[in-house]
């Protein structure tokens, strides 16, 4: 099985690559019978892409890394032609950046996804796994979204992801391309670029600084450990039905204030480190995914509870200053 992982030098994509290569000769950590695997990472290495994220597997002969843009049609065709399965993570991902400048989001997330889908179709890819987000649904005050809920994105980021989701599903309906879409909640774990709330807050606190909390801190997010997310994506890759969407959530909803308190405790500091800042424009109040479809059809079940996962994550940032300090200083990784 030859697997192309776009965005494989980013936070979630690199965890997926490390997971794929974690069992010798197997595609799945729990199922060595799946067969041999070769993995190619296609990554532009933007500010959030970092080859250090792949350091643990960089000498693995099954891994190849291609630096390139998913919008580059010639390159994408050349690379896609040599693969059976595409797992598509590459994206511009930070909502705040999309509020200031939406253009790279539309280019990479929409045009880049379409470029990959065209190439997958042209070269007869066996499966295209499109990794997306719960943010495409907008905000929900009560209850949870199912996979059939209409999309209602609020930010340029989520609108560009919604556009790419719909394109991916359209390639299935129009052309019969084997597409599966995953939508997950907020991920956390090691190697997350320190602009997202958990690594930003933890690294600020470890540096003796303050943390900027948006608005009243009442926005609710569901937290999913990045490894559980990747195990879920592997299940969808192997067993998901073509043309279907699957939700992958953590089952741990917290307000941003509740999350902040946990991070303060983990770093052994008090609430005086919190600075309230003006809310983000268009800030969704609550996200909540119904994950029963992935559970019942695929056996999906997140295993890392939030307390253990957060403790390990904070410890990882304590132990890996050499990874994040240059990123916070604005240095090229
Ligand atoms: P990330 O920002 O850490 O990584 C994105 C990767 O894509 C980087 O390696 C970057 O270099 C690469 N990239 C960006 N533009 C590219 C281009 N034009 N061509 C090739 N490579 C390019 O993001 P992440 O958190 O790892 O997210 C991965 C995927 O998961 C995204 O599609 C995102 O929408 C989705 N997702 C993430 C989360 C989360 O909490 N992290 C939640 C829901 C969905």
């Amino acid at each position: 099985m030859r697997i192309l992982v776009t965005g494989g030098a980013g936070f979630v994509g690199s965890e997926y690559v490390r997971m794929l290569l974690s069992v010798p000769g197997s595609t799945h950590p729990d199922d060595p019978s799946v067969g041999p695997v070769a993995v190619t990472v296609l990554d532009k290495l933007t500010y959030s892409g970092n080859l250090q994220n792949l350091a643990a597997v960089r000498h693995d002969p099954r891994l190849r890394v291609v630096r390139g843009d998913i919008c580059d049609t010639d390159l994408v065709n050349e690379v896609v032609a040599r693969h059976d399965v595409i797992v598509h993570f590459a994206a511009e991902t930070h909502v705040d950046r999309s509020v200031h400048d939406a253009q790279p989001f539309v280019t990479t997330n929409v045009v880049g996804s379409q470029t990959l889908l065209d190439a997958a179709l042209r070269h007869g890819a066996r499966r295209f796994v499109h990794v997306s987000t719960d943010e495409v649904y907008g905000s929900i005050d009560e209850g949870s979204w199912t996979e059939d809920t209409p999309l209602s994105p609020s930010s340029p980021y989520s609108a560009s992801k919604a556009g790419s989701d719909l394109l991916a599903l359209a390639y299935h309906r129009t052309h019969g391309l084997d597409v599966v879409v995953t939508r997950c909640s907020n991920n956390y774990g090691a190697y997350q670029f320190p602009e997202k709330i958990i690594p930003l807050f933890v690294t600020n606190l470890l540096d003796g600084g303050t943390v900027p909390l948006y608005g009243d801190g009442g926005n609710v997010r569901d937290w999913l450990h990045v490894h559980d997310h990747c195990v879920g994506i592997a299940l969808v890759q192997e067993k998901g039905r073509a043309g279907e969407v699957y939700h992958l959530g953590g089952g741990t909803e917290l307000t941003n204030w509740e999350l902040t308190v946990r991070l303060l405790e983990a770093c052994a500091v008090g609430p005086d480190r919190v600075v309230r800042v003006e809310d983000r424009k268009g800030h969704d109040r609550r996200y909540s995914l119904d994950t029963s479809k992935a559970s019942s059809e695929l056996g999906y079940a997140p295993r890392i509870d939030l307390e253990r996962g957060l403790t390990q994550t904070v410890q990882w940032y304590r132990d890996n200053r050499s990874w994040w300090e240059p990123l916070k200083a604005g240095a090229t990784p």
Side-chain angles (χ1 to χ4, degrees), residues 213-221 254-258 276 279 283-286:
L213 186 67
Y214 277 138
D216 65 358
N219 303 66
V220 175
R221 298 293 182 263
L254 292 179
T255 65
N256 284 346
W257 172 248
E258 289 167 334
R276 304 272 183 172
D279 209 354
H283 201 177
D284 290 324
R285 192 67 179 169
R286 176 171 174 265

Side-chain angles (χ1 to χ4, degrees), residues 6-14 42-50 53 68-71 88-94 107-109 112 130-135 157 161 183-188 191-193 195-196 223 229:
T6 73
F11 165 50
V12 189
S14 67
L42 173 60
D43 198 299
K44 188 176 176 181
L45 299 181
T46 66
Y47 75 95
S48 70
N50 187 344
N53 299 0
D69 192 330
I70 58 167
C71 300
H88 176 34
F89 294 93
E92 288 291 338
T93 60
H94 192 41
T107 303
T108 287
N109 299 0
H130 179 70
V131 178
S132 190
T133 169
D134 56 4
E135 302 196 27
Y157 162 67
K161 290 296 291 187
R183 294 185 183 134
C184 69
S185 48
N186 280 28
N187 284 214
Y188 70 98
Y191 299 104
Q192 187 169 30
F193 193 86
E195 64 185 355
K196 307 279 169 62
W223 290 97
H229 181 202

